[in-house]
Amino acid sequence: MSELYTRSWLEKHRFEFRAWQQDAFRQFAAMIHDDSNTYPCIPGRQGFVSDHLRFGFVEDPASQTAPQDLAALLKQYGRCSRETGRYASLVVFFNTSSAGWTGCPVEAYEELFWALLSGVSRLDDQVWPDDISSDPSHPSWEFCFDGNPYFAFCATPAHAIRKSRHFPYLLLAFQPRWVFEKMNNSTHFGQSMKKAIRSRLEQYDGIPAHPSLKWYGQEDNLEWKQYFLHDHNRIPSRCPFTRMKRAVHNLLS
C-alpha cells in the first residue's frame, strides 16, 4: 500500500527502505538544503526545513500500477494536507534507477508525466470542482484530484540545462492551491515572494526564467504550461492532459 512519510520519520527510518528510495530521499535533502547553492523554491525549502512536506515512493512509473499508486498517495494527502503546515507539498519519487531508463530523453519523460496525470484523473471518483474550469486553455484550469486543486511540478534525470527541473529520479510534486491564498500577485507578500523566487531561479539555473512561469489566475497564464518545462523555451501548442485516456492505455498497457 502507498504510504505518506514526513521528513523527520524518513531520517530516522531511512535504512528500512530500498536502496533507490534511500538514495532518492538523500539526494532530495541534499539539493533542497544546500546552503552553498540555494534551491530557488522558497516555499519548498521552507517546507522541508519545517517538516511540512510529505513524501511518497512509486516503483516503475511506466507500469500499469503506477497511476493507482500515485492516486492512492494523492487521496491520502488531500485529506491531511491542511494539517501539515503552511508550506505544504507532496513529493513523490519514482524508481527510474534501472538500466532501461538510462539515456531516456526529456520528451519521453514529458509524455510519461502527462500519462500519469491523465491516468490518475481517470481513477478520480469525485466531480471536478465547480470554480475551476475543466478546459486547460482557460486561465482557471489546474490539475484536480479528489476535489482538490494542485499545482503540479515535474523534474527528471534527463534535464541538463534547467537545473531546477533536474533530479536523478523522476520526481512529481503537488502543491495544494490553498497554499497560494496569500501568495499571489495581488498581495505584497506574494509579489515579494515572486521577485525572490525568480531571482534565485535565474541564479540557480544560470539561464533566464522560462516565459511560461506566471501567476495562477492571470489572464495570460495557462497553468499546464508550467508543470513540465523543457531545458529550452519550447512549449507544446496544446495541453497534453486529457481525461479521455486512450493515450494512457496505449502507453501504460
Side-chain angles (χ1 to χ4, degrees), residues 172-193:
L172 269 63
F174 298 87
Q175 197 163 18
R177 176 50 50 191
W178 60 262
V179 170
F180 297 91
E181 290 174 355
K182 296 183 179 180
M183 195 189 307
N184 56 66
N185 211 36
S186 65
T187 67
H188 177 71
F189 175 72
Q191 292 169 3
S192 298
M193 181 69 74

Side-chain angles (χ1 to χ4, degrees), residues 106-227:
V106 170
E107 291 76 13
Y109 280 108
E110 179 181 29
E111 182 180 3
L112 180 58
F113 166 72
W114 288 110
L116 284 167
L117 286 195
S118 297
V120 167
S121 185
R122 186 183 185 189
L123 299 169
D124 195 356
D125 57 8
Q126 299 296 316
V127 298
W128 197 265
D130 290 337
D131 58 337
I132 296 176
S133 175
S134 59
D135 179 2
S137 65
H138 191 279
S140 73
W141 181 90
E142 57 187 327
F143 177 71
C144 298
F145 181 76
D146 201 32
N148 298 303
Y150 296 98
F151 177 83
F153 169 96
C154 184
T156 82
H159 281 79
I161 299 174
R162 206 173 292 279
K163 288 176 56 182
S164 58
R165 294 287 173 143
H166 173 84
F167 192 70
Y169 300 82
L170 177 64
L171 180 158
L172 269 63
F174 298 87
Q175 197 163 18
R177 176 50 50 191
W178 60 262
V179 170
F180 297 91
E181 290 174 355
K182 296 183 179 180
M183 195 189 307
N184 56 66
N185 211 36
S186 65
T187 67
H188 177 71
F189 175 72
Q191 292 169 3
S192 298
M193 181 69 74
K194 175 182 177 182
K195 184 177 180 180
I197 291 174
R198 294 297 162 80
S199 176
R200 287 190 181 191
L201 185 63
E202 293 195 9
Q203 292 179 24
Y204 192 82
D205 285 346
I207 57 176
H210 196 285
S212 293
L213 292 178
K214 298 176 182 178
W215 281 105
Y216 177 74
Q218 285 182 228
E219 291 185 1
D220 62 342
N221 174 61
L222 293 178
E223 198 82 340
W224 67 267
K225 291 184 177 182
Q226 304 185 52
Y227 288 3

Side-chain angles (χ1 to χ4, degrees), residues 15-26:
F15 296 118
E16 299 174 15
F17 288 80
R18 296 181 60 189
W20 81 265
Q21 295 170 323
Q22 294 183 43
D23 186 54
F25 178 72
R26 179 188 62 79

